[in-house]
Amino acid sequence: MRIILLGPPGGGKGTQGDFLVKRTGFPRISTGDLLRQAVQEGTALGREAEAAMKQGGLVRDEIVLDLVRERISRPDCRGGYVLDGYPRTLSQAKDVEALDPDRPEIVVAIDVSAEEIVRRLASRRSCPDCGAVFNLIVRKPAREGVCDACRGTLAGREDDRPEIVRERLRVYAEKTEPLLAYYAKKGTLHRVDGEKGMDATAAAIREILDAALGAGRTGARG
Ligand code: ADP
C-alpha cells in the first residue's frame, strides 16, 4: 500500500503521517525532511535545494525523485509507505507511479483554509536536532522552548515567516492543487476536513484506511 498525504503546508500532514505510521507500521517519508537533511549535510544537491526552499518555491522534480527513489528502495518500505509532501506536482505524481507501478494507492487530502494555515505556521516550532514538530497553541511542548523528544532547543522554521508562507500557499494552489482532480479521476482520492481538530481528523483518516485495507483483504481472498 502507498498512502499519499496531500494538503497545504501546515495542514497537518506531518501529524497525521505520524498517526498513520502508528496505525500501519509503514515508514513515513517526508520529502521536506529529506531535503532539510541534504541541506544540513551541505551536499551539492542540498545547496541547490536550499535556495528554492528559502524562497518558498519547489525543489526540482529530478532532485526530489532521486531522494524518494533511494528511500523507497529500502527494505522497510516493502510492505508499504506513507508519502508526506510528495508528490507536489503532476509530473511528480507520474514519477511515483512509474517508480512503483503495481502498488495499491490511497490518497488522503487534508482540507484546510489559507487563513488557518497562516495562523498555524506562525505558532509552529520545530526541533532542529530531531525534527519533532510542536505548536504553541494546539501541541505545546511540556517545557517551553524545549523538545519533548530529545531536549533540543525549539525554533521557528525560516520558511514559516508570513511572506514566505504566502508564497508557499501560492505555489500550492498553482502546482499541487491540480493533483486533487488528478487523483479524483483516478479514483484513489479521499478528502478529510483538517479544521476539526487533530483527533477528529485522525478518526476520519482511520475510517478511510480501514475501508481501504478491508477492501484489499477481500480482494486478496477473492
Ligand atoms: P510544508 O509541507 O509545510 O510546506 P515541507 O517540510 O513538506 O513543508 O517542505 C518544505 C519545503 O521543501 C517546501 O516548501 C519545498 O521548497 C521543499 N519540498 C518539499 N517537498 C517537495 C517536493 N515534493 N517537491 C519539491 N519541493 C519540495
Side-chain angles (χ1 to χ4, degrees), residues 186-198:
K186 194 177 168 193
T188 56
L189 181 72
H190 304 266
R191 301 184 79 151
V192 297
D193 184 341
E195 294 196 29
K196 291 238 163 92
M198 233 150 54

mmCIF file with all atom_site columns, all heavy atoms in Angstrom, residues 186-198:
data_model
loop_
_atom_site.group_PDB
_atom_site.id
_atom_site.type_symbol
_atom_site.label_atom_id
_atom_site.label_alt_id
_atom_site.label_comp_id
_atom_site.label_asym_id
_atom_site.label_entity_id
_atom_site.label_seq_id
_atom_site.pdbx_PDB_ins_code
_atom_site.Cartn_x
_atom_site.Cartn_y
_atom_site.Cartn_z
_atom_site.occupancy
_atom_site.B_iso_or_equiv
_atom_site.pdbx_formal_charge
_atom_site.auth_seq_id
_atom_site.auth_comp_id
_atom_site.auth_asym_id
_atom_site.auth_atom_id
_atom_site.pdbx_PDB_model_num
ATOM 1  N N   . LYS A 1 186 ? -8.611  9.384  -11.016 1.00 0.00 ? 186 LYS A N   1
ATOM 2  C CA  . LYS A 1 186 ? -8.000  8.057  -10.907 1.00 0.00 ? 186 LYS A CA  1
ATOM 3  C C   . LYS A 1 186 ? -8.785  7.154  -9.936  1.00 0.00 ? 186 LYS A C   1
ATOM 4  O O   . LYS A 1 186 ? -8.648  5.940  -9.946  1.00 0.00 ? 186 LYS A O   1
ATOM 5  C CB  . LYS A 1 186 ? -6.571  8.265  -10.396 1.00 0.00 ? 186 LYS A CB  1
ATOM 6  C CG  . LYS A 1 186 ? -5.663  7.076  -10.527 1.00 0.00 ? 186 LYS A CG  1
ATOM 7  C CD  . LYS A 1 186 ? -4.248  7.422  -10.065 1.00 0.00 ? 186 LYS A CD  1
ATOM 8  C CE  . LYS A 1 186 ? -3.430  6.142  -9.932  1.00 0.00 ? 186 LYS A CE  1
ATOM 9  N NZ  . LYS A 1 186 ? -2.159  6.381  -9.207  1.00 0.00 ? 186 LYS A NZ  1
ATOM 10 N N   . GLY A 1 187 ? -9.583  7.811  -9.065  1.00 0.00 ? 187 GLY A N   1
ATOM 11 C CA  . GLY A 1 187 ? -10.408 7.029  -8.138  1.00 0.00 ? 187 GLY A CA  1
ATOM 12 C C   . GLY A 1 187 ? -9.727  6.692  -6.820  1.00 0.00 ? 187 GLY A C   1
ATOM 13 O O   . GLY A 1 187 ? -10.212 5.856  -6.055  1.00 0.00 ? 187 GLY A O   1
ATOM 14 N N   . THR A 1 188 ? -8.595  7.323  -6.523  1.00 0.00 ? 188 THR A N   1
ATOM 15 C CA  . THR A 1 188 ? -7.900  6.993  -5.272  1.00 0.00 ? 188 THR A CA  1
ATOM 16 C C   . THR A 1 188 ? -7.995  8.101  -4.227  1.00 0.00 ? 188 THR A C   1
ATOM 17 O O   . THR A 1 188 ? -7.424  7.997  -3.147  1.00 0.00 ? 188 THR A O   1
ATOM 18 C CB  . THR A 1 188 ? -6.394  6.680  -5.524  1.00 0.00 ? 188 THR A CB  1
ATOM 19 O OG1 . THR A 1 188 ? -5.776  7.788  -6.183  1.00 0.00 ? 188 THR A OG1 1
ATOM 20 C CG2 . THR A 1 188 ? -6.227  5.439  -6.377  1.00 0.00 ? 188 THR A CG2 1
ATOM 21 N N   . LEU A 1 189 ? -8.729  9.175  -4.544  1.00 0.00 ? 189 LEU A N   1
ATOM 22 C CA  . LEU A 1 189 ? -8.762  10.340 -3.644  1.00 0.00 ? 189 LEU A CA  1
ATOM 23 C C   . LEU A 1 189 ? -9.797  10.212 -2.525  1.00 0.00 ? 189 LEU A C   1
ATOM 24 O O   . LEU A 1 189 ? -10.931 9.815  -2.750  1.00 0.00 ? 189 LEU A O   1
ATOM 25 C CB  . LEU A 1 189 ? -9.084  11.605 -4.456  1.00 0.00 ? 189 LEU A CB  1
ATOM 26 C CG  . LEU A 1 189 ? -9.134  12.899 -3.638  1.00 0.00 ? 189 LEU A CG  1
ATOM 27 C CD1 . LEU A 1 189 ? -7.733  13.310 -3.207  1.00 0.00 ? 189 LEU A CD1 1
ATOM 28 C CD2 . LEU A 1 189 ? -9.783  14.034 -4.431  1.00 0.00 ? 189 LEU A CD2 1
ATOM 29 N N   . HIS A 1 190 ? -9.374  10.569 -1.314  1.00 0.00 ? 190 HIS A N   1
ATOM 30 C CA  . HIS A 1 190 ? -10.273 10.695 -0.162  1.00 0.00 ? 190 HIS A CA  1
ATOM 31 C C   . HIS A 1 190 ? -10.000 12.036 0.482   1.00 0.00 ? 190 HIS A C   1
ATOM 32 O O   . HIS A 1 190 ? -8.842  12.401 0.666   1.00 0.00 ? 190 HIS A O   1
ATOM 33 C CB  . HIS A 1 190 ? -10.000 9.592  0.859   1.00 0.00 ? 190 HIS A CB  1
ATOM 34 C CG  . HIS A 1 190 ? -10.104 8.220  0.287   1.00 0.00 ? 190 HIS A CG  1
ATOM 35 N ND1 . HIS A 1 190 ? -11.255 7.481  0.342   1.00 0.00 ? 190 HIS A ND1 1
ATOM 36 C CD2 . HIS A 1 190 ? -9.208  7.475  -0.386  1.00 0.00 ? 190 HIS A CD2 1
ATOM 37 C CE1 . HIS A 1 190 ? -11.053 6.327  -0.271  1.00 0.00 ? 190 HIS A CE1 1
ATOM 38 N NE2 . HIS A 1 190 ? -9.814  6.301  -0.713  1.00 0.00 ? 190 HIS A NE2 1
ATOM 39 N N   . ARG A 1 191 ? -11.068 12.775 0.839   1.00 0.00 ? 191 ARG A N   1
ATOM 40 C CA  . ARG A 1 191 ? -10.849 14.094 1.446   1.00 0.00 ? 191 ARG A CA  1
ATOM 41 C C   . ARG A 1 191 ? -11.300 14.101 2.891   1.00 0.00 ? 191 ARG A C   1
ATOM 42 O O   . ARG A 1 191 ? -12.307 13.503 3.239   1.00 0.00 ? 191 ARG A O   1
ATOM 43 C CB  . ARG A 1 191 ? -11.610 15.165 0.653   1.00 0.00 ? 191 ARG A CB  1
ATOM 44 C CG  . ARG A 1 191 ? -11.157 15.207 -0.791  1.00 0.00 ? 191 ARG A CG  1
ATOM 45 C CD  . ARG A 1 191 ? -11.826 16.316 -1.557  1.00 0.00 ? 191 ARG A CD  1
ATOM 46 N NE  . ARG A 1 191 ? -11.177 17.579 -1.256  1.00 0.00 ? 191 ARG A NE  1
ATOM 47 C CZ  . ARG A 1 191 ? -11.129 18.599 -2.120  1.00 0.00 ? 191 ARG A CZ  1
ATOM 48 N NH1 . ARG A 1 191 ? -11.688 18.486 -3.304  1.00 0.00 ? 191 ARG A NH1 1
ATOM 49 N NH2 . ARG A 1 191 ? -10.538 19.724 -1.781  1.00 0.00 ? 191 ARG A NH2 1
ATOM 50 N N   . VAL A 1 192 ? -10.523 14.777 3.731   1.00 0.00 ? 192 VAL A N   1
ATOM 51 C CA  . VAL A 1 192 ? -10.918 14.931 5.131   1.00 0.00 ? 192 VAL A CA  1
ATOM 52 C C   . VAL A 1 192 ? -10.839 16.403 5.517   1.00 0.00 ? 192 VAL A C   1
ATOM 53 O O   . VAL A 1 192 ? -10.034 17.159 4.986   1.00 0.00 ? 192 VAL A O   1
ATOM 54 C CB  . VAL A 1 192 ? -10.044 14.090 6.102   1.00 0.00 ? 192 VAL A CB  1
ATOM 55 C CG1 . VAL A 1 192 ? -10.194 12.606 5.831   1.00 0.00 ? 192 VAL A CG1 1
ATOM 56 C CG2 . VAL A 1 192 ? -8.582  14.492 6.031   1.00 0.00 ? 192 VAL A CG2 1
ATOM 57 N N   . ASP A 1 193 ? -11.696 16.772 6.459   1.00 0.00 ? 193 ASP A N   1
ATOM 58 C CA  . ASP A 1 193 ? -11.708 18.137 6.978   1.00 0.00 ? 193 ASP A CA  1
ATOM 59 C C   . ASP A 1 193 ? -10.564 18.274 7.981   1.00 0.00 ? 193 ASP A C   1
ATOM 60 O O   . ASP A 1 193 ? -10.553 17.580 8.994   1.00 0.00 ? 193 ASP A O   1
ATOM 61 C CB  . ASP A 1 193 ? -13.070 18.384 7.646   1.00 0.00 ? 193 ASP A CB  1
ATOM 62 C CG  . ASP A 1 193 ? -13.222 19.812 8.143   1.00 0.00 ? 193 ASP A CG  1
ATOM 63 O OD1 . ASP A 1 193 ? -12.200 20.511 8.310   1.00 0.00 ? 193 ASP A OD1 1
ATOM 64 O OD2 . ASP A 1 193 ? -14.374 20.224 8.380   1.00 0.00 ? 193 ASP A OD2 1
ATOM 65 N N   . GLY A 1 194 ? -9.626  19.160 7.686   1.00 0.00 ? 194 GLY A N   1
ATOM 66 C CA  . GLY A 1 194 ? -8.461  19.316 8.554   1.00 0.00 ? 194 GLY A CA  1
ATOM 67 C C   . GLY A 1 194 ? -8.622  20.400 9.595   1.00 0.00 ? 194 GLY A C   1
ATOM 68 O O   . GLY A 1 194 ? -7.662  20.786 10.261  1.00 0.00 ? 194 GLY A O   1
ATOM 69 N N   . GLU A 1 195 ? -9.840  20.924 9.754   1.00 0.00 ? 195 GLU A N   1
ATOM 70 C CA  . GLU A 1 195 ? -10.043 22.022 10.708  1.00 0.00 ? 195 GLU A CA  1
ATOM 71 C C   . GLU A 1 195 ? -10.891 21.605 11.903  1.00 0.00 ? 195 GLU A C   1
ATOM 72 O O   . GLU A 1 195 ? -11.322 22.437 12.685  1.00 0.00 ? 195 GLU A O   1
ATOM 73 C CB  . GLU A 1 195 ? -10.671 23.233 9.999   1.00 0.00 ? 195 GLU A CB  1
ATOM 74 C CG  . GLU A 1 195 ? -9.717  23.829 8.985   1.00 0.00 ? 195 GLU A CG  1
ATOM 75 C CD  . GLU A 1 195 ? -10.105 25.229 8.548   1.00 0.00 ? 195 GLU A CD  1
ATOM 76 O OE1 . GLU A 1 195 ? -10.718 25.955 9.346   1.00 0.00 ? 195 GLU A OE1 1
ATOM 77 O OE2 . GLU A 1 195 ? -9.799  25.584 7.400   1.00 0.00 ? 195 GLU A OE2 1
ATOM 78 N N   . LYS A 1 196 ? -11.125 20.312 12.037  1.00 0.00 ? 196 LYS A N   1
ATOM 79 C CA  . LYS A 1 196 ? -11.992 19.852 13.126  1.00 0.00 ? 196 LYS A CA  1
ATOM 80 C C   . LYS A 1 196 ? -11.208 19.415 14.352  1.00 0.00 ? 196 LYS A C   1
ATOM 81 O O   . LYS A 1 196 ? -11.763 18.840 15.278  1.00 0.00 ? 196 LYS A O   1
ATOM 82 C CB  . LYS A 1 196 ? -12.853 18.678 12.630  1.00 0.00 ? 196 LYS A CB  1
ATOM 83 C CG  . LYS A 1 196 ? -13.895 19.085 11.604  1.00 0.00 ? 196 LYS A CG  1
ATOM 84 C CD  . LYS A 1 196 ? -15.298 18.727 12.091  1.00 0.00 ? 196 LYS A CD  1
ATOM 85 C CE  . LYS A 1 196 ? -16.390 19.449 11.334  1.00 0.00 ? 196 LYS A CE  1
ATOM 86 N NZ  . LYS A 1 196 ? -16.858 18.679 10.191  1.00 0.00 ? 196 LYS A NZ  1
ATOM 87 N N   . GLY A 1 197 ? -9.890  19.642 14.302  1.00 0.00 ? 197 GLY A N   1
ATOM 88 C CA  . GLY A 1 197 ? -9.057  19.185 15.418  1.00 0.00 ? 197 GLY A CA  1
ATOM 89 C C   . GLY A 1 197 ? -8.331  17.905 15.036  1.00 0.00 ? 197 GLY A C   1
ATOM 90 O O   . GLY A 1 197 ? -8.815  17.124 14.215  1.00 0.00 ? 197 GLY A O   1
ATOM 91 N N   . MET A 1 198 ? -7.154  17.740 15.661  1.00 0.00 ? 198 MET A N   1
ATOM 92 C CA  . MET A 1 198 ? -6.251  16.649 15.323  1.00 0.00 ? 198 MET A CA  1
ATOM 93 C C   . MET A 1 198 ? -6.906  15.266 15.438  1.00 0.00 ? 198 MET A C   1
ATOM 94 O O   . MET A 1 198 ? -6.745  14.417 14.584  1.00 0.00 ? 198 MET A O   1
ATOM 95 C CB  . MET A 1 198 ? -5.090  16.695 16.329  1.00 0.00 ? 198 MET A CB  1
ATOM 96 C CG  . MET A 1 198 ? -3.754  16.720 15.701  1.00 0.00 ? 198 MET A CG  1
ATOM 97 S SD  . MET A 1 198 ? -2.566  17.621 16.724  1.00 0.00 ? 198 MET A SD  1
ATOM 98 C CE  . MET A 1 198 ? -2.696  16.828 18.307  1.00 0.00 ? 198 MET A CE  1
#
